[in-house]
């Protein structure tokens, strides 16, 4: 009887372990992730060696918006790459031989067998697709990047209400955006409406406050809502 209970217990543990095991990508996922790797390797000033080859790809079963690839380069050695899928695109959110723990939720990194180092990602916000944690810069107009935050310093990130000080860089689009000029404005920011999406907690709302001068056409309290 005891032996039967032991066998049943071991089977249960095995099933529990397999339930959180990363899976192989589908053919479509592999194609899209491979294209993302190639784009990252060949973009201007890429930190990755161009001779990197994909060794393996795994997709999270805890949160299917995350995946990881193991790479090897004759010139630079082994490395790892973490992806976040948003709007059908796999964005690279971490690359290197030791990634930051803010590349993805801790449970997901563990499942994907990705080692990491602090800082830990306790909450995320959408940065035109990929989720980022306590970002120092954040693009607000994704199509043209004519409105962005820079030099952002956060306080109480990961709580229900995070605040920050920083600079907004806004294109005046005068006479038109391609020929316009960027101007800088001092701002404070509030990130709130902390929600859960998969294994990640993310801020759904960002309010930008202009205490002094502000760009033409932008309200003194400029509110943006995000998806995960």
């Amino acid at each position: 009887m005891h032996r039967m209970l032991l066998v049943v217990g071991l089977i249960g543990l095995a099933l529990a372990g397999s339930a959180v095991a990363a899976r192989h990508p589908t053919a479509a996922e592999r194609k899209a992730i491979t294209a993302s790797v190639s784009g990252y390797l060949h973009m201007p000033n890429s930190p990755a060696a161009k001779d990197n080859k994909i060794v393996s790809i795994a997709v999270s079963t805890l949160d299917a918006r995350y995946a990881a690839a193991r790479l090897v380069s004759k010139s630079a050695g082994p490395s790892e790459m973490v992806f976040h899928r948003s709007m059908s695109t796999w964005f690279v959110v971490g690359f290197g031989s030791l990634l930051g723990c803010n590349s993805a939720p801790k449970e997901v990194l563990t499942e994907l067998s990705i080692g990491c180092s602090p800082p830990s990602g306790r909450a995320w916000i959408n940065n035109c697709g990929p989720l980022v944690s306590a970002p120092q810069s954040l693009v607000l107009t994704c199509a043209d990047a004519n409105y962005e935050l820079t030099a952002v310093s956060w306080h109480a990130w990961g709580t229900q209400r995070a605040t920050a000080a920083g600079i907004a860089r806004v294109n005046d689009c005068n006479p038109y955006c391609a020929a316009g000029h960027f101007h800088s404005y001092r701002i404070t920011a509030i990130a709130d409406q902390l929600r859960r999406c998969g294994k990640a907690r993310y801020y759904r709302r960002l309010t930008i406050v202009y205490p002094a001068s502000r760009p033409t056409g932008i309200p003194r309290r400029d509110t943006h809502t995000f998806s995960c």
Side-chain angles (χ1 to χ4, degrees), residues 82-115:
V82 175
F83 309 86
H84 171 259
R85 178 173 51 81
S86 179
M87 298 175 289
S88 301
T89 299
W90 290 92
F91 295 92
V92 178
V93 293
F95 169 77
S97 56
L98 183 59
L99 305 182
C101 295
N102 55 355
S103 300
K106 180 181 178 182
E107 303 95 327
V108 172
L109 291 176
T110 299
E111 178 201 14
L112 294 171
S113 299
I114 299 293

Side-chain angles (χ1 to χ4, degrees), residues 107-174:
E107 303 95 327
V108 172
L109 291 176
T110 299
E111 178 201 14
L112 294 171
S113 299
I114 299 293
C116 67
S117 62
S120 174
R122 293 174 295 168
W124 276 259
I125 195 167
N126 193 309
N127 189 20
C128 290
L131 297 182
V132 292
S133 181
Q136 295 180 350
S137 62
L138 193 66
V139 177
L140 298 173
T141 54
C142 299
D144 50 28
N146 282 327
Y147 186 7
E148 64 177 349
L149 305 184
T150 63
V152 183
S153 177
W154 290 98
H155 174 70
W157 183 266
T159 65
Q160 291 295 321
R161 187 177 188 272
T163 59
I167 301 295
R169 292 185 71 252
V170 185
N171 189 346
D172 60 17
C173 290
N174 186 18

Side-chain angles (χ1 to χ4, degrees), residues 15-213:
L15 291 174
S18 64
V20 294
R23 62 174 174 81
H24 294 298
T26 64
E29 288 171 336
R30 178 175 292 277
K31 181 179 179 180
I33 291 171
T34 299
S36 182
V37 171
S38 178
Y40 187 85
L41 298 183
H42 295 92
M43 70 179 184
N45 303 314
S46 174
K50 289 182 173 54
D51 65 343
N52 266 294
K53 304 295 182 185
I54 297 175
V55 176
S56 63
I57 297 174
V59 178
S60 171
T61 56
L62 290 173
D63 190 336
R65 298 170 304 128
Y66 288 96
R70 283 178 168 76
L71 310 177
V72 66
S73 159
K74 289 184 178 179
S75 61
S79 59
E80 297 169 324
M81 193 174 282
V82 175
F83 309 86
H84 171 259
R85 178 173 51 81
S86 179
M87 298 175 289
S88 301
T89 299
W90 290 92
F91 295 92
V92 178
V93 293
F95 169 77
S97 56
L98 183 59
L99 305 182
C101 295
N102 55 355
S103 300
K106 180 181 178 182
E107 303 95 327
V108 172
L109 291 176
T110 299
E111 178 201 14
L112 294 171
S113 299
I114 299 293
C116 67
S117 62
S120 174
R122 293 174 295 168
W124 276 259
I125 195 167
N126 193 309
N127 189 20
C128 290
L131 297 182
V132 292
S133 181
Q136 295 180 350
S137 62
L138 193 66
V139 177
L140 298 173
T141 54
C142 299
D144 50 28
N146 282 327
Y147 186 7
E148 64 177 349
L149 305 184
T150 63
V152 183
S153 177
W154 290 98
H155 174 70
W157 183 266
T159 65
Q160 291 295 321
R161 187 177 188 272
T163 59
I167 301 295
R169 292 185 71 252
V170 185
N171 189 346
D172 60 17
C173 290
N174 186 18
Y176 51 91
C177 290
H181 299 84
F182 279 87
H183 302 273
S184 296
Y185 305 86
R186 184 168 56 88
I187 60 98
T188 59
I190 303 165
D192 60 3
Q193 294 189 1
L194 194 59
R195 300 287 189 268
R196 182 166 291 280
C197 181
K199 286 294 179 179
R201 295 189 309 153
Y202 78 103
Y203 290 106
R204 184 175 179 272
R205 183 171 66 183
L206 178 70
T207 303
I208 301 159
V209 181
Y210 291 87
S213 60

